[in-house]
Amino acid sequence: MASKGAKRGGNDTGHSESVIGLTLPNGTLYSGTVIDGVPEGNGVVKFIGAAWFKGKFINGEPRGPGSIRLNTGETIFGEFSDNVFVGERAKGRRTEVIKFTVQKGRLTRVLNENKKVPDPLPEPEPEPEPEIPEPEEIIEEIPEPEPEPEPVVVQKKTPPQKPPSEYGVREYADGKYMGEFRNGKRDGKGRFVRNDGTVFLGDFSNDRPHGNMTVTDPEGNVSFEGEYRNGEMHYGTLKLGNRTYVGQFKRGVFHGLGKFTGSDGVTIEGVFHFGRYIGPIKDPTKPATWKNAIPVSEKSE
């Protein structure tokens, strides 16, 4: 396996643990924690075909809770077990269970496990070829073809390419980063540990978290899992002690469509506006703005 990374030292079992980038035997690309050269712990894997999985790895395989980001941009949260990912996503007012499996490094959706393929029909017997009489030999002078004009070569402008990434370690005023760089900035897969012990593991762009991201608090508990945009939470699951919010964010607060579960188990679901709950959504086919919500005061009347 090709690899690159930084060694973190041994653990209590005497095994070598590190955060590293690997090319796995099935052609997928892995970035995350590695023990004795095998993915173990939190990590991110890029499948063949631009799909990503971010979550737990055990003995080199994804296993346990995590999220899949498809090449369409959609993020699905679920769990990997025995090489099969089972997740849920919203479909109108219902929740749809969706399954994927990994085959030869590609993420393939399982459409219908009970669907049977009918037996193929027998091939028809070939019909006998008709007898065609041989034509009489005709000698005819064929004129020389006129020379074809030379093709006009149109030079296409090549779009600017991103500079190649470099892997390294750099310390900042607020913490330490280990991962990919472009033009001297954090760009690509990486791991940033703040001075207070908070860990950001995932995608970076232009020196900020941008893309799939898992945030772990100083005690080692996952506090956020989802998508960052331009250094801010955009969509995902945020855990606040024994309270949980799943949905959209803006400027670091609940904003858009989401679901909040309190410490008493009571759940409110609908439209949030800059951290304040407005009410259930009116029309799920339209954007989740405060205008497309039924205010709590109106609903109780």
Side-chain angles (χ1 to χ4, degrees):
M1 288 188 280
S3 65
K4 54 181 179 179
K7 195 171 183 181
R8 290 172 50 186
N11 53 25
D12 294 339
T13 62
H15 297 285
S16 176
E17 180 179 349
S18 59
V19 176
I20 201 167
L22 293 176
T23 300
L24 301 182
N26 58 3
T28 58
L29 301 177
Y30 172 81
S31 175
T33 306
V34 173
I35 297 179
D36 293 340
V38 178
E40 187 80 21
N42 291 325
V44 180
V45 65
K46 179 181 182 298
F47 300 106
I48 300 172
W52 298 83
F53 168 75
K54 178 182 65 177
K56 295 286 184 181
F57 288 78
I58 298 177
N59 197 22
E61 295 183 355
R63 186 177 296 272
S67 62
I68 281 180
R69 183 171 177 85
L70 305 178
N71 53 10
T72 59
E74 180 183 7
T75 300
I76 300 173
F77 296 91
E79 186 171 349
F80 249 112
S81 178
D82 295 330
N83 214 32
V84 176
F85 178 86
V86 180
E88 293 183 353
R89 66 177 178 185
K91 191 173 184 181
R93 294 180 178 271
R94 299 181 296 105
T95 300
E96 178 188 24
V97 177
I98 187 169
K99 292 184 179 181
F100 294 90
T101 183
V102 181
Q103 297 180 354
K104 296 182 179 179
R106 293 183 179 273
L107 190 68
T108 304
R109 182 178 175 184
V110 180
L111 295 177
N112 190 344
E113 297 175 313
N114 298 322
K115 186 175 180 181
K116 294 183 178 180
V117 180
D119 294 330
L121 297 176
E123 296 184 2
E125 296 183 0
E127 297 182 359
E129 297 182 0
E131 295 183 2
I132 302 175
E134 295 184 2
E136 296 180 359
E137 185 178 359
I138 300 175
I139 300 176
E140 182 180 357
E141 292 185 359
I142 300 175
E144 291 284 339
E146 295 182 0
E148 296 182 359
E150 294 184 2
V152 178
V153 179
V154 179
Q155 294 184 351
K156 295 183 179 180
K157 292 184 178 180
T158 304
Q161 300 292 325
K162 263 192 171 185
S165 63
E166 298 178 355
Y167 196 90
V169 180
R170 184 176 299 174
E171 293 189 2
Y172 296 82
D174 57 342
K176 185 177 181 180
Y177 174 79
M178 178 187 300
E180 294 179 296
F181 290 86
R182 283 188 177 89
N183 291 331
K185 295 182 179 181
R186 291 168 286 189
D187 198 303
K189 300 294 179 185
R191 182 174 184 267
F192 180 71
V193 182
R194 287 200 315 210
N195 293 333
D196 63 357
T198 304
V199 178
F200 294 78
L201 178 65
D203 300 322
F204 291 79
S205 178
N206 198 25
D207 231 17
R208 294 181 292 183
H210 185 85
N212 291 330
M213 186 65 58
T214 297
V215 182
T216 307
D217 63 21
E219 286 72 33
N221 303 312
V222 175
S223 59
F224 176 81
E225 190 167 22
E227 181 184 1
Y228 262 68
R229 286 190 183 177
N230 298 320
E232 296 181 347
M233 293 180 293
H234 178 68
Y235 181 87
T237 300
L238 177 66
K239 294 182 180 179
L240 304 167
N242 53 2
R243 298 171 297 165
T244 304
Y245 172 80
V246 180
Q248 297 172 316
F249 296 82
K250 189 173 185 179
R251 299 177 187 172
V253 297
F254 311 158
H255 187 84
L257 192 62
K259 181 171 70 173
F260 179 82
T261 304
S263 57
D264 55 359
V266 177
T267 298
I268 56 175
E269 185 173 3
V271 179
F272 291 79
H273 186 72
F274 288 109
R276 186 168 65 92
Y277 178 65
I278 304 300
I281 191 167
K282 289 181 182 178
D283 187 352
T285 63
K286 295 181 180 179
T289 63
W290 65 270
K291 293 182 179 180
N292 189 24
I294 305 172
V296 177
S297 58
E298 294 183 9
K299 184 183 177 185
S300 60
E301 292 178 357

